[in-house]
Amino acid sequence: MNKLFILLIAISFHSIGQSFNTFPVQTQKPPLHGKNWMAITGKPLAATAGAMIFTKGGNAIDASCAMLASTCTMWDVLSWGGETQALIYNPKTKKVIVINALGVAPTGATADFYKSKGYNYPPEFGPLAATTPGTPGGLLTMLAEYGTMSLKDVLAPAMQLAEGYPIEAQTANSIEKGKDQIKQWSYSKKVFLPHLGKEREAPEAGEIFVQNELLQTLQKLVYTEQEALKKGKSRKEAIYAAYDRFYKGDIAKEIARGTQEQGGLITEQDLANWKVKIEEPTMTNYKGYDVYKLQEWTQGPVMLQTLNILENFDLKSMGYNTSRYIHTLYQSMNLAFADRDFYYGDPAFEPKSPMKGLLSKDYAKERLKLINWEKNDPNVKPGDPYPFENKLNPYLDIINNANKVGRVNPGPMNEDFLKEFTSGTTSVIASDKEGWVVSITPSGGWVPACIAGNTGVGLSQRMQSFVLDPKENPFNVVEPGKRPRVTLTPSMALKDGKPVLAFAKQAGDEQDQLLLQFFLNVVEFGMTVQEACEAPSFKTYQMYSSFGKHEKKPGALTLNDAMPDWTRAELKGKGYTLDFQPRTSGPINAIFLDWKHGTFWGGSSNHGEDYGIGW
């Protein structure tokens, strides 16, 4: 009998719990365990940085900040000039809060400006792709407001890495692959290409990679904090003094100068005006689980919309990864992503997204009526959530012609499309025995990055997530001071008022569709977090990419190699175009809080370099 068929039968007998390999497949990685703390992120060295902070008495916020700083320093598909988005469960208030540290479009960044340069969208790379840096502000705010340690202690691991660390093959090879673009920017060339003129100009795997200018920038922040402490300032005040130096002092001046020298738009005033926001999350309840996401300046609510549709079905009875299960999830996601593509944007600007209607359970029931159970629908359009807010929709004419604006890529799956679709990002997950739980999806400034002057800070590439034509999305048209609608989407779930899951992943538009499947793996099919992180998932490309050419591939479906022939045939019969990958689930990182035993379970997908440490 086929092993996968046995798996599908056996899975229905397991309820939610965390006992190793209840799911009848041996995981490639063991689960992590801890009773005091858990630290998981995109690089083993960065996870070690989190562990170092925990062993010094720091809490999950302190450790998360150390991991964030380390991943940025290691160019783990992001840099210091990128953006940071976090969900934090505060055990003192028993509430989930949001850290919004996404940069904004700089002065002069208008649709007309980019059109005058011949762009259909802001560019993918270079100084004109850069929003204002957000990660330093996000890290400093989290540490000041919710941490316990000094900036000096928390940045110590990252500063040691900047002094020189053995670079891993993944990043080293990414630099070599992107060296032609890197050579366009003099400050980037100086940092990334230590062997300029040789056949391999990037560092070799295992070579000590040194970043002196970044180290000096971090030293300036620590010096400012320490001087403030000497003057009698509190821990919090001293950290915010470092914040001010980055955004209003000599560091800001050099970022603005270096960016403008290379053709960018960021001004000193843009940096001084930008602020981190501490916000309320969005939330829906799925079968007793309160699932939290960020607001509509991210794609996060799309998972909540999809859960609102899916709660109307008995997913478990369909069987894990059967053709009916996959078709149900695919079509439900189509409906939610069509809304994401048209309605999501920065809520600080007009027009305001109709989120109350979009997250309405009654709206979800109306949307699910559109599902064709026999065939994929390649022409799904945005819905009309306005009646569920007792309002009239001002965009019906645009919606009725939505597919005429579309950027459909009908060709076969190729490397360039996948690279755009899954750009950038890492994740940082942490928890501690005091009750703090953290889920972060930081990103931006990935290789090949344009470095801002003599700071060592790689600039974000997030401007490309804006649109220039309001017919594509009237809520996400670029303008100065506005945040683009990003893919970055940390996740958290509570049950009976207690946090039970913190989970996040990298890879652009893949994020919420794979996080959805991870969540259902745990909640519907009883997998442990490690099993859920490794379990075969599927991927859809029927939503518009948030990057590059902003294309979509209706009906395209990536399946795991393990999918049996009969399921493949059934899905082809429903109109899907299939391709296959050996690993399809991540990299997802997650923590399960085991309240029965007072312990933590950690999980991390079986590809990529993500992993963690627990104690």
Side-chain angles (χ1 to χ4, degrees):
M1 185 178 290
N2 185 282
K3 290 182 179 179
L4 185 64
F5 185 64
I6 296 172
L7 177 154
L8 297 176
I9 296 173
I11 194 63
S12 64
F13 294 99
H14 298 293
S15 60
I16 183 170
Q18 300 288 304
S19 58
F20 185 49
N21 286 335
T22 57
F23 196 61
V25 170
Q26 186 75 28
T27 56
Q28 293 183 6
K29 287 182 178 180
L32 295 164
H33 291 281
K35 70 173 184 178
N36 295 302
W37 51 262
M38 188 71 67
I40 311 176
T41 189
K43 298 283 186 186
L45 281 178
T48 302
M52 291 165 65
I53 297 302
F54 272 130
T55 57
K56 290 181 178 179
N59 68 7
I61 305 296
D62 300 315
S64 294
C65 290
M67 288 191 282
L68 174 58
S70 298
T71 57
C72 288
T73 303
M74 297 177 72
W75 299 89
D76 182 22
V77 210
L78 80 164
S79 176
W80 278 93
E83 46 273 348
T84 286
Q85 297 67 223
L87 286 170
I88 297 173
Y89 177 79
N90 184 337
K92 297 177 181 178
T93 63
K94 302 191 183 306
K95 290 185 178 180
V96 178
I97 59 99
V98 169
I99 299 295
N100 174 347
L102 174 63
V104 299
T107 299
T110 64
D112 287 342
F113 169 81
Y114 284 105
K115 288 177 182 177
S116 74
K117 297 285 187 181
Y119 293 115
N120 294 320
Y121 302 94
E124 295 178 69
F125 299 104
L128 288 178
T131 53
T132 55
T135 288
L139 187 156
L140 293 164
T141 299
M142 285 190 288
L143 184 62
E145 297 292 336
Y146 308 109
T148 65
M149 297 178 72
S150 70
L151 183 62
K152 179 182 179 180
D153 286 338
V154 166
L155 288 190
M159 292 170 72
Q160 292 178 48
L161 291 168
E163 288 175 348
Y165 74 96
I167 193 169
E168 71 292 343
Q170 185 180 63
T171 302
N173 292 338
S174 179
I175 293 170
E176 179 68 13
K177 187 174 182 179
K179 67 182 180 181
D180 288 343
Q181 285 175 302
I182 288 169
K183 289 177 183 178
Q184 299 175 38
W185 312 307
S186 59
Y187 300 102
S188 298
K189 182 171 63 175
K190 181 170 59 173
V191 172
F192 286 125
L193 304 177
H195 309 302
L196 203 61
K198 297 183 179 180
E199 182 178 354
R200 182 184 176 95
E201 298 177 299
E204 297 178 356
E207 180 179 342
I208 300 299
F209 181 51
V210 178
Q211 300 172 79
N212 285 322
E213 289 168 344
L214 176 60
L215 176 60
Q216 291 170 23
T217 296
L218 300 181
Q219 287 172 336
K220 289 177 181 178
L221 297 177
V222 169
Y223 175 83
T224 303
E225 177 207 38
Q226 294 299 302
E227 287 299 300
L229 289 172
K230 290 177 183 177
K231 294 176 181 176
K233 300 292 185 181
S234 67
R235 187 192 73 91
K236 182 174 179 179
E237 290 170 333
I239 293 170
Y240 279 126
Y243 182 113
D244 286 342
R245 183 167 186 179
F246 189 94
Y247 288 98
K248 298 177 182 179
D250 57 337
I251 300 173
K253 185 182 290 293
E254 179 60 13
I255 288 174
R257 186 206 65 77
T259 303
Q260 291 174 31
E261 177 194 325
Q262 298 176 92
L265 300 173
I266 295 172
T267 68
E268 291 181 53
Q269 199 61 46
D270 291 328
L271 296 166
N273 290 342
W274 181 83
K275 296 286 187 297
V276 176
K277 296 184 178 182
I278 301 177
E279 301 177 337
E280 294 291 321
T282 54
M283 187 272 286
T284 197
N285 184 276
Y286 179 83
K287 300 183 179 181
Y289 290 85
D290 291 329
V291 184
Y292 289 87
K293 286 285 190 173
L294 310 185
Q295 295 180 17
E296 65 271 21
W297 51 272
T298 74
Q299 69 169 331
V302 78
M303 179 175 157
L304 307 183
Q305 284 190 247
T306 308
L307 287 171
N308 285 344
I309 295 172
L310 292 174
E311 72 175 358
N312 296 284
F313 304 113
D314 184 356
L315 297 178
K316 190 173 181 178
S317 70
M318 296 180 185
Y320 178 70
N321 273 359
T322 61
S323 61
R324 182 169 178 80
Y325 178 78
I326 292 172
H327 184 70
T328 300
L329 266 62
Y330 193 110
Q331 297 306 310
S332 299
M333 287 193 288
N334 284 352
L335 296 164
F337 274 105
D339 287 339
R340 179 206 76 167
D341 289 343
F342 187 81
Y343 287 115
Y344 289 18
D346 188 345
F349 283 72
E350 296 292 339
K352 295 285 196 301
S353 301
M355 291 310 298
K356 181 180 178 182
L358 288 168
L359 291 175
S360 161
K361 300 280 191 177
D362 290 334
Y363 176 68
K365 290 177 181 177
E366 285 298 308
R367 290 293 270 164
L368 70 84
K369 293 176 183 177
L370 298 175
I371 294 177
N372 182 332
W373 293 105
E374 302 302 320
K375 292 283 186 180
N376 175 54
D377 181 359
N379 299 310
V380 171
K381 294 181 180 180
D384 184 5
Y386 282 89
F388 298 87
E389 297 184 355
N390 297 315
K391 299 175 183 177
L392 294 176
N393 192 332
Y395 303 107
L396 288 178
D397 288 344
I398 299 177
I399 290 171
N400 289 334
N401 292 290
N403 287 314
K404 296 179 182 178
V405 183
R407 303 153 304 283
V408 175
N409 183 333
M413 200 67 68
N414 58 66
E415 183 180 351
D416 288 342
F417 176 83
L418 285 174
K419 184 178 179 182
E420 288 182 1
F421 201 86
T422 60
S423 291
T425 315
T426 191
S427 57
V428 174
I429 312 288
S431 58
D432 64 35
K433 63 182 179 182
E434 187 183 351
W436 292 97
V437 185
V438 186
S439 178
I440 311 176
T441 314
S443 190
W446 52 78
V447 175
C450 177
I451 290 178
N454 296 303
T455 64
V457 171
L459 294 171
S460 168
Q461 299 98 338
R462 197 56 61 174
M463 289 291 293
Q464 65 184 299
S465 293
F466 279 117
V467 301
L468 306 183
D469 184 351
K471 291 181 180 178
E472 294 182 33
N473 180 344
F475 303 86
N476 190 38
V477 178
V478 62
E479 58 182 291
K482 191 174 187 178
R483 289 170 165 84
R485 195 280 298 152
V486 296
T487 54
L488 308 160
T489 176
S491 316
M492 196 173 292
L494 275 64
K495 189 173 177 62
D496 300 325
K498 296 179 179 179
V500 290
L501 282 173
F503 52 112
K505 79 174 297 292
Q506 64 176 60
D509 292 279
E510 280 188 7
Q511 289 179 46
D512 268 309
Q513 53 176 309
L514 293 183
L515 291 170
L516 170 75
Q517 292 172 73
F518 165 87
F519 176 74
L520 295 174
N521 290 345
V522 174
V523 171
E524 292 285 0
F525 296 106
M527 298 186 202
T528 69
V529 286
Q530 186 58 45
E531 291 162 349
C533 283
E534 290 191 26
S537 302
F538 68 88
K539 295 184 252 188
T540 166
Y541 309 94
Q542 192 152 306
M543 72 289 289
Y544 290 115
S545 170
S546 302
F547 307 94
K549 300 181 184 69
H550 291 244
E551 296 176 327
K552 67 177 179 179
K553 286 183 177 289
L557 175 59
T558 295
L559 298 175
N560 192 276
D561 285 345
M563 193 61 63
D565 290 342
W566 63 84
T567 304
R568 300 181 186 200
E570 289 170 354
L571 290 167
K572 286 180 181 178
K574 292 181 182 295
Y576 295 108
T577 302
L578 307 183
D579 72 283
F580 302 90
Q581 294 177 0
R583 294 181 176 91
T584 51
S585 64
I588 292 174
N589 291 322
I591 295 173
F592 171 79
L593 289 90
D594 184 343
W595 290 97
K596 178 180 178 181
H597 302 106
T599 61
F600 306 114
W601 291 66
S604 187
S605 293
N606 57 337
H607 58 110
E609 298 180 329
D610 301 61
Y611 214 60
I613 302 174
W615 187 253

PDB file of all heavy atoms in Angstrom, residues 404-425:
ATOM      1  N   LYS A 404      -8.965  43.096 -17.025  1.00  0.00           N
ATOM      2  CA  LYS A 404      -8.405  43.776 -18.191  1.00  0.00           C
ATOM      3  C   LYS A 404      -7.109  44.500 -17.846  1.00  0.00           C
ATOM      4  O   LYS A 404      -6.340  44.855 -18.722  1.00  0.00           O
ATOM      5  CB  LYS A 404      -9.422  44.763 -18.761  1.00  0.00           C
ATOM      6  CG  LYS A 404     -10.691  44.085 -19.287  1.00  0.00           C
ATOM      7  CD  LYS A 404     -11.682  45.104 -19.814  1.00  0.00           C
ATOM      8  CE  LYS A 404     -12.956  44.409 -20.281  1.00  0.00           C
ATOM      9  NZ  LYS A 404     -13.973  45.383 -20.763  1.00  0.00           N
ATOM     10  N   VAL A 405      -6.904  44.736 -16.551  1.00  0.00           N
ATOM     11  CA  VAL A 405      -5.702  45.418 -16.084  1.00  0.00           C
ATOM     12  C   VAL A 405      -4.598  44.404 -15.766  1.00  0.00           C
ATOM     13  O   VAL A 405      -3.442  44.749 -15.641  1.00  0.00           O
ATOM     14  CB  VAL A 405      -6.016  46.259 -14.815  1.00  0.00           C
ATOM     15  CG1 VAL A 405      -4.800  47.054 -14.351  1.00  0.00           C
ATOM     16  CG2 VAL A 405      -7.176  47.204 -15.095  1.00  0.00           C
ATOM     17  N   GLY A 406      -4.972  43.137 -15.682  1.00  0.00           N
ATOM     18  CA  GLY A 406      -4.090  42.114 -15.139  1.00  0.00           C
ATOM     19  C   GLY A 406      -2.814  41.896 -15.919  1.00  0.00           C
ATOM     20  O   GLY A 406      -2.736  42.183 -17.109  1.00  0.00           O
ATOM     21  N   ARG A 407      -1.822  41.324 -15.216  1.00  0.00           N
ATOM     22  CA  ARG A 407      -0.525  41.040 -15.802  1.00  0.00           C
ATOM     23  C   ARG A 407      -0.338  39.529 -15.734  1.00  0.00           C
ATOM     24  O   ARG A 407       0.362  39.008 -14.867  1.00  0.00           O
ATOM     25  CB  ARG A 407       0.562  41.780 -15.027  1.00  0.00           C
ATOM     26  CG  ARG A 407       0.283  43.281 -15.005  1.00  0.00           C
ATOM     27  CD  ARG A 407       0.855  43.987 -13.806  1.00  0.00           C
ATOM     28  NE  ARG A 407       0.453  43.476 -12.522  1.00  0.00           N
ATOM     29  CZ  ARG A 407      -0.737  43.716 -11.950  1.00  0.00           C
ATOM     30  NH1 ARG A 407      -1.648  44.436 -12.567  1.00  0.00           N
ATOM     31  NH2 ARG A 407      -1.018  43.213 -10.767  1.00  0.00           N
ATOM     32  N   VAL A 408      -0.968  38.821 -16.649  1.00  0.00           N
ATOM     33  CA  VAL A 408      -0.962  37.366 -16.637  1.00  0.00           C
ATOM     34  C   VAL A 408       0.270  36.860 -17.368  1.00  0.00           C
ATOM     35  O   VAL A 408       0.576  37.303 -18.475  1.00  0.00           O
ATOM     36  CB  VAL A 408      -2.240  36.800 -17.282  1.00  0.00           C
ATOM     37  CG1 VAL A 408      -2.165  35.285 -17.366  1.00  0.00           C
ATOM     38  CG2 VAL A 408      -3.467  37.230 -16.485  1.00  0.00           C
ATOM     39  N   ASN A 409       0.978  35.951 -16.740  1.00  0.00           N
ATOM     40  CA  ASN A 409       2.127  35.282 -17.350  1.00  0.00           C
ATOM     41  C   ASN A 409       1.709  33.863 -17.665  1.00  0.00           C
ATOM     42  O   ASN A 409       1.670  33.014 -16.779  1.00  0.00           O
ATOM     43  CB  ASN A 409       3.322  35.305 -16.390  1.00  0.00           C
ATOM     44  CG  ASN A 409       4.574  34.700 -16.999  1.00  0.00           C
ATOM     45  OD1 ASN A 409       4.508  33.847 -17.872  1.00  0.00           O
ATOM     46  ND2 ASN A 409       5.724  35.143 -16.527  1.00  0.00           N
ATOM     47  N   PRO A 410       1.370  33.573 -18.926  1.00  0.00           N
ATOM     48  CA  PRO A 410       0.825  32.261 -19.255  1.00  0.00           C
ATOM     49  C   PRO A 410       1.879  31.187 -19.476  1.00  0.00           C
ATOM     50  O   PRO A 410       1.555  30.024 -19.634  1.00  0.00           O
ATOM     51  CB  PRO A 410       0.080  32.540 -20.566  1.00  0.00           C
ATOM     52  CG  PRO A 410       0.892  33.628 -21.212  1.00  0.00           C
ATOM     53  CD  PRO A 410       1.427  34.479 -20.075  1.00  0.00           C
ATOM     54  N   GLY A 411       3.143  31.561 -19.489  1.00  0.00           N
ATOM     55  CA  GLY A 411       4.204  30.612 -19.817  1.00  0.00           C
ATOM     56  C   GLY A 411       4.476  29.620 -18.707  1.00  0.00           C
ATOM     57  O   GLY A 411       3.880  29.667 -17.629  1.00  0.00           O
ATOM     58  N   PRO A 412       5.412  28.688 -18.947  1.00  0.00           N
ATOM     59  CA  PRO A 412       5.775  27.702 -17.922  1.00  0.00           C
ATOM     60  C   PRO A 412       6.487  28.363 -16.749  1.00  0.00           C
ATOM     61  O   PRO A 412       6.999  29.484 -16.862  1.00  0.00           O
ATOM     62  CB  PRO A 412       6.727  26.762 -18.680  1.00  0.00           C
ATOM     63  CG  PRO A 412       7.295  27.595 -19.789  1.00  0.00           C
ATOM     64  CD  PRO A 412       6.193  28.534 -20.188  1.00  0.00           C
ATOM     65  N   MET A 413       6.510  27.665 -15.627  1.00  0.00           N
ATOM     66  CA  MET A 413       7.209  28.163 -14.462  1.00  0.00           C
ATOM     67  C   MET A 413       8.688  28.317 -14.787  1.00  0.00           C
ATOM     68  O   MET A 413       9.278  27.474 -15.438  1.00  0.00           O
ATOM     69  CB  MET A 413       7.029  27.194 -13.291  1.00  0.00           C
ATOM     70  CG  MET A 413       7.295  27.809 -11.943  1.00  0.00           C
ATOM     71  SD  MET A 413       6.070  29.067 -11.516  1.00  0.00           S
ATOM     72  CE  MET A 413       4.617  28.048 -11.297  1.00  0.00           C
ATOM     73  N   ASN A 414       9.285  29.430 -14.377  1.00  0.00           N
ATOM     74  CA  ASN A 414      10.696  29.642 -14.648  1.00  0.00           C
ATOM     75  C   ASN A 414      11.360  30.305 -13.454  1.00  0.00           C
ATOM     76  O   ASN A 414      10.693  30.830 -12.553  1.00  0.00           O
ATOM     77  CB  ASN A 414      10.904  30.483 -15.922  1.00  0.00           C
ATOM     78  CG  ASN A 414      10.232  31.841 -15.840  1.00  0.00           C
ATOM     79  OD1 ASN A 414      10.604  32.689 -15.045  1.00  0.00           O
ATOM     80  ND2 ASN A 414       9.206  32.046 -16.666  1.00  0.00           N
ATOM     81  N   GLU A 415      12.687  30.306 -13.463  1.00  0.00           N
ATOM     82  CA  GLU A 415      13.450  30.791 -12.317  1.00  0.00           C
ATOM     83  C   GLU A 415      13.198  32.263 -12.042  1.00  0.00           C
ATOM     84  O   GLU A 415      13.085  32.671 -10.881  1.00  0.00           O
ATOM     85  CB  GLU A 415      14.944  30.556 -12.559  1.00  0.00           C
ATOM     86  CG  GLU A 415      15.826  30.953 -11.382  1.00  0.00           C
ATOM     87  CD  GLU A 415      17.299  30.703 -11.641  1.00  0.00           C
ATOM     88  OE1 GLU A 415      17.621  30.068 -12.665  1.00  0.00           O
ATOM     89  OE2 GLU A 415      18.118  31.140 -10.814  1.00  0.00           O
ATOM     90  N   ASP A 416      13.109  33.091 -13.093  1.00  0.00           N
ATOM     91  CA  ASP A 416      12.911  34.520 -12.896  1.00  0.00           C
ATOM     92  C   ASP A 416      11.585  34.811 -12.216  1.00  0.00           C
ATOM     93  O   ASP A 416      11.506  35.641 -11.303  1.00  0.00           O
ATOM     94  CB  ASP A 416      12.989  35.260 -14.239  1.00  0.00           C
ATOM     95  CG  ASP A 416      14.408  35.316 -14.792  1.00  0.00           C
ATOM     96  OD1 ASP A 416      15.358  35.103 -14.011  1.00  0.00           O
ATOM     97  OD2 ASP A 416      14.559  35.563 -15.992  1.00  0.00           O
ATOM     98  N   PHE A 417      10.516  34.141 -12.661  1.00  0.00           N
ATOM     99  CA  PHE A 417       9.202  34.352 -12.045  1.00  0.00           C
ATOM    100  C   PHE A 417       9.227  33.934 -10.580  1.00  0.00           C
ATOM    101  O   PHE A 417       8.749  34.663  -9.703  1.00  0.00           O
ATOM    102  CB  PHE A 417       8.131  33.573 -12.800  1.00  0.00           C
ATOM    103  CG  PHE A 417       6.764  33.660 -12.170  1.00  0.00           C
ATOM    104  CD1 PHE A 417       5.944  34.748 -12.421  1.00  0.00           C
ATOM    105  CD2 PHE A 417       6.297  32.672 -11.314  1.00  0.00           C
ATOM    106  CE1 PHE A 417       4.682  34.846 -11.829  1.00  0.00           C
ATOM    107  CE2 PHE A 417       5.057  32.756 -10.723  1.00  0.00           C
ATOM    108  CZ  PHE A 417       4.243  33.844 -10.983  1.00  0.00           C
ATOM    109  N   LEU A 418       9.790  32.763 -10.290  1.00  0.00           N
ATOM    110  CA  LEU A 418       9.824  32.273  -8.916  1.00  0.00           C
ATOM    111  C   LEU A 418      10.678  33.168  -8.025  1.00  0.00           C
ATOM    112  O   LEU A 418      10.348  33.399  -6.862  1.00  0.00           O
ATOM    113  CB  LEU A 418      10.355  30.841  -8.877  1.00  0.00           C
ATOM    114  CG  LEU A 418       9.391  29.758  -9.356  1.00  0.00           C
ATOM    115  CD1 LEU A 418      10.087  28.407  -9.395  1.00  0.00           C
ATOM    116  CD2 LEU A 418       8.159  29.686  -8.470  1.00  0.00           C
ATOM    117  N   LYS A 419      11.769  33.706  -8.577  1.00  0.00           N
ATOM    118  CA  LYS A 419      12.625  34.587  -7.800  1.00  0.00           C
ATOM    119  C   LYS A 419      11.872  35.839  -7.394  1.00  0.00           C
ATOM    120  O   LYS A 419      11.965  36.315  -6.259  1.00  0.00           O
ATOM    121  CB  LYS A 419      13.875  34.947  -8.593  1.00  0.00           C
ATOM    122  CG  LYS A 419      14.876  35.792  -7.819  1.00  0.00           C
ATOM    123  CD  LYS A 419      16.115  36.083  -8.653  1.00  0.00           C
ATOM    124  CE  LYS A 419      17.099  36.955  -7.889  1.00  0.00           C
ATOM    125  NZ  LYS A 419      18.290  37.284  -8.698  1.00  0.00           N
ATOM    126  N   GLU A 420      11.094  36.415  -8.324  1.00  0.00           N
ATOM    127  CA  GLU A 420      10.290  37.591  -8.000  1.00  0.00           C
ATOM    128  C   GLU A 420       9.221  37.254  -6.969  1.00  0.00           C
ATOM    129  O   GLU A 420       8.984  37.993  -6.018  1.00  0.00           O
ATOM    130  CB  GLU A 420       9.621  38.137  -9.270  1.00  0.00           C
ATOM    131  CG  GLU A 420      10.565  38.826 -10.243  1.00  0.00           C
ATOM    132  CD  GLU A 420       9.837  39.380 -11.447  1.00  0.00           C
ATOM    133  OE1 GLU A 420       8.595  39.243 -11.507  1.00  0.00           O
ATOM    134  OE2 GLU A 420      10.498  39.942 -12.334  1.00  0.00           O
ATOM    135  N   PHE A 421       8.582  36.127  -7.151  1.00  0.00           N
ATOM    136  CA  PHE A 421       7.428  35.759  -6.340  1.00  0.00           C
ATOM    137  C   PHE A 421       7.813  35.465  -4.894  1.00  0.00           C
ATOM    138  O   PHE A 421       7.008  35.659  -3.972  1.00  0.00           O
ATOM    139  CB  PHE A 421       6.756  34.523  -6.959  1.00  0.00           C
ATOM    140  CG  PHE A 421       5.324  34.325  -6.558  1.00  0.00           C
ATOM    141  CD1 PHE A 421       4.306  34.955  -7.261  1.00  0.00           C
ATOM    142  CD2 PHE A 421       4.982  33.522  -5.489  1.00  0.00           C
ATOM    143  CE1 PHE A 421       2.977  34.774  -6.895  1.00  0.00           C
ATOM    144  CE2 PHE A 421       3.660  33.335  -5.125  1.00  0.00           C
ATOM    145  CZ  PHE A 421       2.657  33.968  -5.836  1.00  0.00           C
ATOM    146  N   THR A 422       9.050  34.999  -4.683  1.00  0.00           N
ATOM    147  CA  THR A 422       9.459  34.552  -3.347  1.00  0.00           C
ATOM    148  C   THR A 422      10.593  35.398  -2.778  1.00  0.00           C
ATOM    149  O   THR A 422      11.396  34.918  -1.976  1.00  0.00           O
ATOM    150  CB  THR A 422       9.899  33.078  -3.394  1.00  0.00           C
ATOM    151  OG1 THR A 422      11.014  32.951  -4.295  1.00  0.00           O
ATOM    152  CG2 THR A 422       8.783  32.195  -3.888  1.00  0.00           C
ATOM    153  N   SER A 423      10.665  36.672  -3.142  1.00  0.00           N
ATOM    154  CA  SER A 423      11.805  37.509  -2.767  1.00  0.00           C
ATOM    155  C   SER A 423      11.958  37.669  -1.258  1.00  0.00           C
ATOM    156  O   SER A 423      10.981  37.879  -0.538  1.00  0.00           O
ATOM    157  CB  SER A 423      11.653  38.897  -3.391  1.00  0.00           C
ATOM    158  OG  SER A 423      11.796  38.845  -4.785  1.00  0.00           O
ATOM    159  N   GLY A 424      13.221  37.568  -0.814  1.00  0.00           N
ATOM    160  CA  GLY A 424      13.653  38.098   0.469  1.00  0.00           C
ATOM    161  C   GLY A 424      13.088  37.501   1.741  1.00  0.00           C
ATOM    162  O   GLY A 424      12.414  36.488   1.734  1.00  0.00           O
ATOM    163  N   THR A 425      13.501  38.125   2.856  1.00  0.00           N
ATOM    164  CA  THR A 425      12.884  37.926   4.171  1.00  0.00           C
ATOM    165  C   THR A 425      13.536  36.806   4.984  1.00  0.00           C
ATOM    166  O   THR A 425      14.130  35.892   4.461  1.00  0.00           O
ATOM    167  CB  THR A 425      11.363  37.663   4.029  1.00  0.00           C
ATOM    168  OG1 THR A 425      10.814  38.590   3.119  1.00  0.00           O
ATOM    169  CG2 THR A 425      10.656  37.789   5.338  1.00  0.00           C
TER     170      THR A 425
END
